[in-house]
Amino acid sequence: SGDPDVLEYHLLLMLYAGIDGVLIDWYGSHKVHDYGPNLENSEALISKMGAMGMKFGIVYEEYVCETVAKEKMSQIEAAQQDMSYMESKYFSSPLYIKVKEEKPLLLTFGPRLFQHEKQWTNIFSVLKKKISFAPLWGSRKAVGYKNADGEFSWVDFDAKCPKLADFYRE
C-alpha cells in the first residue's frame, strides 16, 4: 500500500514488536506491468522510515529484467539501470542498512535470471562505490565469489529444514 496512514500503522506495529528495519522485496525501477506501482509503494514506505527511526534494505528481484528487456532494453542494461537507481536513491541514505565497512547491503532472491559471474560483474560495473552483495543460499558461486560477500538463508519448504541446518553448519 502507498496509503500513508496504513504504512504508519504497519511500521508502528513492527516497532512495538521489536522490529527495527525492513527488507523490501524490490522489483526494480522500471515502470512496466505492476512494477511502477510497486516502486511507488516502496518509495512511500521508505519515506516513513526515518520518522519511525527504522532502517531499510533491498532484496532485488533480478528476474524482472527479463520482462523489462522485452519492452525496453537488454536484460543487463535493465539491471544496470536498477543498480544506478538504487545507488542514487537508497545506498547513501543514513536509513539504508550497511554492513562490512559501511557498505550498503544488497540481497537478491536468486539469482534466477543472471546465472554467471560475468553478468553480475557487468551489472555492478555501473556502481561508483562497493556494495555488500549476498544472493540466496547456495548461489554465491553463480554470481561469483568476487561479487558476493556471502549468502543468506530463506524459508526451507521441508519441515525438517535440512537445507537450513546445512546452511548453518557451513
Side-chain angles (χ1 to χ4, degrees):
S1 171
D3 182 299
D5 295 328
V6 171
L7 291 172
E8 183 176 342
Y9 176 69
H10 287 164
L11 291 171
L12 284 171
L13 288 174
M14 286 185 240
L15 278 174
Y16 293 144
I19 298 168
D20 61 2
V22 296
L23 293 171
I24 299 169
D25 188 21
W26 197 73
Y27 283 73
S29 61
H30 305 279
K31 295 184 177 168
V32 297
H33 300 298
D34 65 344
Y35 305 161
N38 286 342
L39 178 62
E40 291 168 15
N41 291 339
S42 295
E43 302 282 336
L45 174 66
I46 291 165
S47 74
K48 292 285 190 182
M49 303 293 289
M52 301 293 171
M54 297 177 78
K55 297 207 175 243
F56 74 97
I58 299 293
V59 184
Y60 182 44
E61 294 283 7
E62 45 85 34
Y63 75 90
V64 303
C65 293
E66 184 173 24
T67 302
V68 173
K70 290 177 184 173
E71 299 191 20
K72 293 187 172 195
M73 64 199 66
S74 78
Q75 294 172 352
I76 296 288
E77 288 170 326
Q80 287 175 327
Q81 283 190 6
D82 287 340
M83 291 301 138
S84 293
Y85 186 92
M86 286 185 276
E87 185 169 50
S88 69
K89 294 278 288 180
Y90 306 143
F91 293 164
S92 62
S93 169
L95 304 177
Y96 196 86
I97 297 169
K98 304 201 176 57
V99 296
K100 287 193 170 191
E101 303 160 4
E102 290 300 302
K103 292 190 285 186
L105 175 65
L106 178 63
L107 306 175
T108 187
F109 276 128
R112 290 167 38 185
L113 176 62
F114 303 115
Q115 295 283 325
H116 305 286
E117 179 177 356
K118 287 181 181 179
Q119 292 172 308
W120 284 99
T121 300
N122 194 3
I123 291 165
F124 292 141
S125 71
V126 299
L127 295 173
K128 294 175 182 95
K129 295 182 179 179
K130 285 286 216 181
I131 61 170
S132 185
F133 179 63
L136 198 55
W137 55 3
S139 300
R140 190 170 179 199
K141 182 177 180 183
V143 302
Y145 291 103
K146 292 180 181 178
N147 290 323
D149 289 331
E151 299 174 331
F152 70 99
S153 65
W154 196 245
V155 177
D156 192 335
F157 296 101
D158 182 330
K160 295 179 183 174
C161 298
K163 285 185 179 179
L164 189 61
D166 291 345
F167 178 80
Y168 285 109
R169 258 194 297 279
E170 292 178 8

